Amino acid sequence: MAQKYKIGTAAIFETEAQVLKAAHKVRTMGFTKFDAITPYPVHGMEEAVGIKRSWIPYVTFVMGVVGCSSGWLLTWWTSAVNWPLNIGGKPFHSLPAFIPIMFELTILFAALSSVATLLYVCGLPRVNPPIIHPDLTSHKFGIFIPQDDTGYDAAKVEELFRSLGASEIKKAEF
Amino acid sequence: MMKRNPLVLGHKNLKDITEDIVAPVESFPSKGWLGLFLSAKTLLIFYIITLGIVVGTGIGLLGVNHPNAWGTMIVTFVFWIGIGHAGTLISAILFLFRQKWRTSVARTAEAMTVFAVMTAGLFPLLHTGRPWLDFWLFPYPNQRGPLWVNFRSPLLWDVFAVSTYATVSMVFWYIGMIPDFATIRDRAKNKIRYMVYGALSMGWRGRARDWSHYEMVYLLLAGLSTPLVLSVHTIVSFDFAVSNLPGWHTTIFPPYFVAGAIFSGFGMVVTLMTLVRIGFPEFKNYITLDHMEVMNKIIMATGLMVGYAYGSEFFVAWYSGNLYERAVFVNRAFGDYGWSYWCMISCNVIIPQLFWFKSVRRSIPIMFIISIFVNIGMWFERFVITVTSLHHDFLPSNWGNYAWSPYDTAILVGSFGMFLTLFLLYLRLFPAISIAEIKPVINVGYETEEGGHH
C-alpha cells in the first residue's frame, strides 16, 4: 500500500531523561502532530506526548464475546440442530461439555483480533519506511515535528531542539 | 530495605545491550554451535525417516496393543506439551505479576514453548494412524451428512485447546520480537539481512503512539495467555480424567497436570539456559546466577506440588474403598511397571529436594544434572499414568503389558532432534533476549543519578 510520509525536522537525543523533557516541552509549545521515537517503551512518555490510553481493550472484549458466542453457536447448531446424535444419553445441547470449546474460541478470537488491531493502528506492515536515524531502535531517542504542525517554523524548531540539548538536528521525512 | 541484585550485570549501557544480544545473529556460528546443530539435524533426519516408516507401515510398529491403546505417542505428546507451559508461565504469568527478572529469560522460554508445542502437536496427529485424514478432527461442512465432530469428547476439546495454544503462543512470541527485528534491520550492513529482518519487523519504527498500543496489546496477550495455558493442560488431563478407568478417573488431575507441566517446563528451561550460558558467554550478564536460582526455586516448589499429588492419589485410592482403584495403585508401585513408578518418584520428588541448599541452587553443573533428571522423571510420570492404568484395569482377562519396540525408542529420541534443531536455529536467527524489554530494567539494583525511574 502506498504510504504518505511527512517532511519535518527531527532531533536526536542521547538519553531517556532528555527526550522526556523535550517531548514535554514540545507539547507545551503547542505542537500536536509531533512524534517521539524510542528504542523501548519509555516510562512516562504517554503523558509527555499527550497520548490517550489505548482503546484496543474494547476490541479485545467485544471479540472475546463474539468468540464465546460463536463457540456456543457452533457446538449447539452442529450437535443439537443440524445432526443431533445421541451420545451416551447426554442431552443434545450439553452445555457443560461445550464450555472448553467456547473458552478456547474466546481466547483465540480476542488474541488474534487484538493483534490485528495493533497492526492496523500502527500502520503495519509497512514496506521500507523512512528511518530518521538507525540508532533510534538501539540507544538513541528522537523527536520529529512535521512541517504541517501548528506554528511550525523550521528555524524556531531548530532553535528549540538545540536549547533542549539535541545532539543532532536534521530535516527528515517520517 | 532489602537491596535488590542487579538484573543485568556489568554496568551495561543501551548500546552494549543491543550489541551483546544481536551478536549471535550477526556473527558467524562457532564450531560448538555447528557441532550441536549437525548432530541435532542428523537426529531430525533420523526422526523423519522413522516417522515415515511408522506412517507407511502402520501404527502397529509401536508397542501399542489391546489393553494399551495409548502408548509412546500419547506419553511423549503430554511430555512435550507440558514442557511448553513454563514458557508461557514466564512470559505471561510472571509478566502480570510484574516479575522483572522474567525479562532476560522470557524470549527463550517462549521459543521453547513454541517449539515444544510444534513437537508435541505431531504426536496426536500421527497417533490417529491415518494422519492424512487428520482434517476430520476439525468441524467443517462435509458431504457425509454433514456429520460433525463430537463436541462432548475431551479429545476434541484437546484439538481446540492445543491449536489455540499453538496459535496464541506463536503470535505472542512474534509480537514480542517485532521491535527487536527492527533493531537488527537498522543495524544491518548487508542487503539480505536488511530485507529479511525488515520484512520480519513489518516496518516497525518505535513511535511513542505505537509503543502505547503495543504495550497494551502485550498486556492483553499476557492476560489472555494466562487462563489459556492453565486451560490447555487441564484439558490434556481431561483426556484421561473424563474416562472411567481407575488411575485416570480422578478430580485431582487438572491441577496435578498443570503443576507437573510447569515443573517439567522449568526443568527444560534450566537445561537450555545452562547450555545457552556456555554457548554465549556474554549472555551470563543477562541470564545471571540469580535468574537460575529463582527458576530452581520454582522447580522445587512445583516438584513438591507434584509430590503432594502423588501422595494424594494413593490416599484417595485407599480412602475411596474402591477395590479396583486400590488394586491399580498397588500395581502401579509394586506391579510389572513398579520400576517406572520409582524412577518417577526419585527423579521428581527426591532429587529436586537438593534445591533446598543454596549452594546447589547456584551451581550450574549440579542444576544441569538435576534438570535432566526432572525431564526424565516427567516423561516417566506420563508413562506411569498412561500405561500402568491401561495395562491392569478391571478384568484379569483384559490385562497385558505394553510391547515396547525399537520404534518407540526411535520416535521418542527423534523428537528431541526436531526440538533441538528448531531451538538451535532460533538461537542464531532471532534475538535470544528481548532487547526492547531488557533496556528499561537495566537500572534495577544500581544506584542511579538520573534517568532511573524506580
Side-chain angles (χ1 to χ4, degrees):
Chain A
M1 56 189 138
Q3 303 268 355
K4 277 190 190 136
Y5 296 105
K6 292 172 176 174
I7 308 286
T9 308
I12 312 290
F13 297 91
E14 300 289 324
T15 70
E16 188 186 309
Q18 276 179 327
V19 79
L20 264 179
K21 213 180 99 199
H24 192 75
K25 179 78 182 157
V26 170
R27 184 167 170 236
T28 48
M29 296 284 288
F31 293 106
T32 51
K33 293 177 184 164
F34 73 100
D35 241 314
I37 302 114
T38 57
Y40 55 87
V42 170
H43 203 71
M45 188 55 98
E46 277 109 328
E47 294 80 6
V49 182
I51 300 169
K52 286 200 206 88
R53 192 172 183 276
S54 170
W55 46 267
I56 296 181
Y58 297 104
V59 178
T60 312
F61 177 75
V62 170
M63 289 311 285
V65 173
V66 170
C68 187
S69 339
S70 8
W72 193 4
L73 272 176
L74 172 73
T75 46
W76 163 76
W77 186 76
T78 53
S79 314
V81 178
N82 192 242
W83 189 314
L85 272 180
N86 185 336
I87 292 162
K90 295 185 187 91
F92 293 129
H93 178 222
S94 28
L95 186 59
F98 298 159
I99 286 175
I101 308 285
M102 289 157 63
F103 175 79
E104 298 301 335
L105 290 183
T106 309
I107 302 282
L108 186 69
F109 277 50
L112 292 185
S113 57
S114 315
V115 169
T117 317
L118 172 73
L119 296 182
Y120 174 75
V121 295
C122 295
L124 305 179
R126 189 185 284 263
V127 180
N128 253 339
I131 284 156
I132 294 173
H133 195 290
D135 287 345
L136 288 180
T137 47
S138 168
H139 54 275
K140 290 185 180 170
F141 306 84
I143 288 192
F144 172 79
I145 306 183
Q147 60 184 11
D148 63 348
D149 210 341
T150 39
Y152 177 89
D153 173 359
K156 268 190 196 159
V157 166
E158 235 171 84
E159 186 52 42
L160 173 67
F161 281 152
R162 193 157 298 124
S163 71
L164 289 165
S167 63
E168 197 183 329
I169 298 166
K170 61 177 179 186
K171 282 247 164 278
E173 188 188 23
F174 193 67
Chain B
M1 213 174 94
M2 288 264 287
K3 201 181 166 317
R4 291 188 73 171
N5 287 340
L7 289 177
V8 179
L9 301 176
H11 288 278
K12 302 279 181 190
N13 65 28
L14 297 174
K15 191 161 190 253
D16 297 337
I17 292 181
T18 310
E19 276 165 5
D20 285 350
I21 298 174
V22 172
V25 180
E26 290 180 342
S27 58
F28 201 73
S30 64
K31 282 208 182 95
W33 182 88
L34 220 56
L36 279 174
F37 180 69
L38 287 179
S39 331
K41 212 188 69 167
T42 311
L43 198 53
L44 172 64
I45 292 169
F46 167 75
Y47 184 48
I48 294 171
I49 294 170
T50 313
L51 291 182
I53 297 171
V54 170
V55 171
T57 316
I59 202 88
L61 285 181
L62 301 176
V64 283
N65 50 27
H66 165 58
N68 306 295
W70 283 6
T72 318
M73 290 275 193
I74 300 299
V75 173
T76 319
F77 159 71
V78 183
F79 170 74
W80 280 113
I81 203 101
I83 281 177
H85 282 51
T88 317
L89 183 110
I90 292 175
S91 61
I93 300 183
L94 295 183
F95 179 79
L96 295 183
F97 283 115
R98 303 263 183 256
Q99 294 294 312
K100 293 213 162 76
W101 65 268
R102 71 174 268 290
T103 314
S104 12
V105 284
R107 171 71 46 79
T108 300
E110 271 175 62
M112 179 193 80
T113 296
V114 170
F115 304 143
V117 173
M118 284 162 76
T119 311
L122 275 183
F123 287 108
L125 296 180
L126 294 166
H127 178 81
T128 60
R130 293 181 180 80
W132 52 93
L133 296 177
D134 280 341
F135 59 95
W136 285 4
L137 291 168
F138 288 95
Y140 66 97
N142 55 62
Q143 294 176 325
R144 302 185 293 275
L147 189 61
W148 299 99
V149 289
N150 175 17
F151 285 109
R152 297 169 196 87
S153 161
L155 300 180
L156 195 80
W157 303 343
D158 220 17
V159 172
F160 277 73
V162 173
S163 49
T164 303
Y165 185 48
T167 314
V168 173
S169 53
M170 223 174 280
V171 167
F172 193 27
W173 184 53
Y174 183 73
I175 287 294
M177 283 192 294
I178 285 179
D180 294 357
F181 286 141
T183 308
I184 300 180
R185 172 201 65 199
D186 289 349
R187 289 169 54 85
K189 297 274 185 293
N190 68 58
K191 189 138 178 79
I192 295 175
R193 189 182 296 153
Y194 178 81
M195 280 171 55
V196 169
Y197 288 98
L200 286 170
S201 75
M202 293 190 177
W204 175 265
R205 289 182 298 173
R207 298 178 302 183
R209 282 175 179 77
D210 296 347
W211 278 121
S212 164
H213 290 297
Y214 175 91
E215 281 198 287
M216 181 57 83
V217 167
Y218 202 80
L219 178 66
L220 286 169
L221 287 179
L224 291 168
S225 301
T226 299
L228 175 64
V229 67
L230 300 179
S231 84
V232 172
H233 230 58
T234 298
I235 290 174
V236 169
S237 82
F238 284 166
D239 290 345
F240 301 92
V242 173
S243 76
N244 282 325
L245 195 70
W248 284 4
H249 190 61
T250 55
T251 47
I252 199 180
F253 260 31
Y256 162 34
F257 267 53
V258 171
I262 291 165
F263 176 63
S264 70
F266 270 92
M268 189 57 104
V269 173
V270 168
T271 311
L272 295 174
M273 286 301 175
T274 44
L275 294 176
V276 168
R277 277 171 57 102
I278 294 167
F280 304 114
E282 201 43 55
F283 281 10
K284 285 182 188 167
N285 288 323
Y286 300 91
I287 305 159
T288 65
L289 268 184
D290 290 329
H291 288 105
M292 306 304 283
E293 188 184 352
V294 179
M295 293 197 279
N296 290 336
K297 283 180 184 165
I298 297 181
I299 290 184
M300 197 178 73
T302 46
L304 289 171
M305 287 182 212
V306 170
Y308 169 76
Y310 297 155
S312 160
E313 274 191 317
F314 267 80
F315 173 76
V316 171
W318 167 76
Y319 193 64
S320 69
N322 183 319
L323 273 183
Y324 299 100
E325 198 74 25
R326 285 185 187 178
V328 158
F329 278 91
V330 170
N331 176 60
R332 187 172 275 189
F334 305 105
D336 286 349
Y337 290 107
W339 56 272
S340 66
Y341 182 80
W342 294 108
C343 183
M344 163 186 102
I345 291 283
S346 28
C347 291
N348 291 352
V349 184
I350 299 169
I351 292 175
Q353 298 308 316
L354 286 169
F355 281 145
W356 284 105
F357 301 102
K358 186 164 180 141
S359 54
V360 172
R361 287 201 303 269
R362 295 184 74 87
S363 158
I364 296 288
I366 300 182
M367 75 174 81
F368 179 76
I369 293 167
I370 295 180
S371 74
I372 296 284
F373 274 118
V374 168
N375 289 326
I376 295 172
M378 283 309 289
W379 188 85
F380 273 107
E381 181 195 295
R382 279 63 177 254
F383 179 83
V384 165
I385 292 171
T386 310
V387 173
T388 65
S389 309
L390 280 170
H391 94 113
H392 225 258
D393 57 0
F394 299 100
L395 294 173
S397 58
N398 200 29
W399 292 353
N401 286 358
Y402 190 72
W404 188 271
S405 84
Y407 287 94
D408 289 280
T409 316
I411 60 164
L412 169 61
V413 174
S415 66
F416 281 87
M418 174 173 171
F419 176 77
L420 290 173
T421 306
L422 291 167
F423 189 76
L424 287 163
L425 280 175
Y426 151 79
L427 284 179
R428 278 282 159 200
L429 295 176
F430 293 166
I433 297 173
S434 174
I435 307 174
E437 260 187 86
I438 201 132
K439 280 173 181 165
V441 301
I442 46 172
N443 290 326
V444 174
Y446 289 115
E447 305 284 332
T448 52
E449 308 97 59
E450 55 149 3
H453 41 255
H454 298 287

